[in-house]
């Protein structure tokens, strides 16, 4: 068994969408390599930082990311293996990249209770603030203004110009 601790820059931008790890961002790795019957078992922890925007209010954010993974690098032989030992070396880049990309949040938020943007004005809402009243109603949806969920009577939910069956 051998243990290593080192830092490497991300070779490319890892991740798509709202957040990603920028190219050149340092990735700190702690790796333990163990010789097993089938090959070399790599167990690692990686620490880095991702950048992006909040999925609700589009505020810039930078957050730390810590991942752990374990991968078996098989000796070349008859069995098909995703990862193989090449000249007594293992290439961890694919495993590190896959683990980091899968750990990135799909819909990141700047804070758990982020109120987002006002749908009318597009301004960032403050916690507890109500969105601005929508002044203009699209004429295609005007018939829905007769519907109110407060009434249990079916007659109140039908627009006045609708036929009853």
């Amino acid at each position: 068994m051998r243990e290593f601790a080192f830092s490497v820059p991300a070779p490319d931008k890892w991740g798509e969408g709202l957040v990603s790890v920028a190219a050149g961002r340092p990735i700190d790795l702690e790796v333990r390599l163990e010789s097993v019957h089938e090959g070399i078992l790599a167990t690692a922890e990686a620490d880095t930082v991702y950048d992006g925007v909040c999925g609700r209010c589009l505020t810039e954010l930078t957050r730390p990311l810590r991942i752990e993974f374990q991968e078996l690098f098989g000796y070349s032989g008859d069995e098909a293996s995703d990862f193989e030992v090449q000249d007594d070396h293992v290439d961890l880049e694919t495993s590190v990249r896959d683990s980091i990309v899968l750990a990135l949040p799909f819909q990141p938020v700047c804070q758990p209770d982020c109120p987002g943007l006002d749908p009318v004005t597009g301004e960032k809402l403050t916690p507890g603030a109500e969105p601005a009243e929508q002044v203009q109603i699209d004429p295609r949806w005007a018939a829905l203004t007769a519907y109110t969920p407060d009434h249990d009577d079916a007659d109140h939910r039908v627009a006045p110009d609708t036929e009853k069956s």
Side-chain angles (χ1 to χ4, degrees):
M1 178 181 75
R2 293 188 180 166
E3 294 182 328
F4 302 95
F6 53 94
S7 182
V8 295
D12 296 317
K13 175 184 167 188
W14 287 347
E16 296 293 328
L18 298 176
V19 294
S20 63
V21 175
R25 177 70 60 139
I27 300 170
D28 300 321
L29 291 161
E30 294 178 15
V31 181
R32 184 175 67 223
L33 301 173
E34 299 175 77
S35 177
V36 295
H37 180 69
E38 298 85 8
I40 296 175
L41 180 66
T43 306
E45 292 180 356
D47 293 303
T48 190
V49 175
Y50 65 83
D51 301 307
V53 294
C54 175
R56 294 182 190 161
C57 67
L58 303 178
T59 301
E60 296 286 328
L61 55 90
T62 300
R63 299 280 190 275
L65 179 68
R66 180 180 192 85
I67 56 116
E68 298 176 0
F69 70 91
Q70 191 172 50
E71 194 68 57
L72 177 64
F73 292 82
Y75 295 121
S76 58
D78 297 333
E79 293 184 30
S81 175
D82 290 338
F83 301 104
E84 291 186 353
V85 177
Q86 303 279 330
D87 299 325
D88 294 331
H89 291 84
V90 294
D91 184 7
L92 296 173
E93 181 181 345
T94 303
S95 299
V96 172
R97 181 193 66 232
D98 291 350
S99 298
I100 286 176
V101 170
L102 289 173
L104 291 173
F106 183 66
Q107 291 291 328
V109 290
C110 57
Q111 57 190 13
D113 59 344
C114 175
L117 299 176
D118 187 305
V120 176
T121 64
E123 297 294 321
K124 183 177 177 180
L125 292 172
T126 57
E130 293 294 322
E133 287 293 322
Q134 191 164 1
V135 190
Q136 190 175 11
I137 296 176
D138 188 327
R140 295 172 291 181
W141 299 101
L144 293 177
T145 58
Y147 173 76
T148 59
D150 299 337
H151 300 289
D152 290 332
D153 187 7
D155 292 334
H156 292 294
R157 287 186 278 169
V158 178
D161 60 343
T162 305
E163 288 185 25
K164 293 183 182 178
S165 49

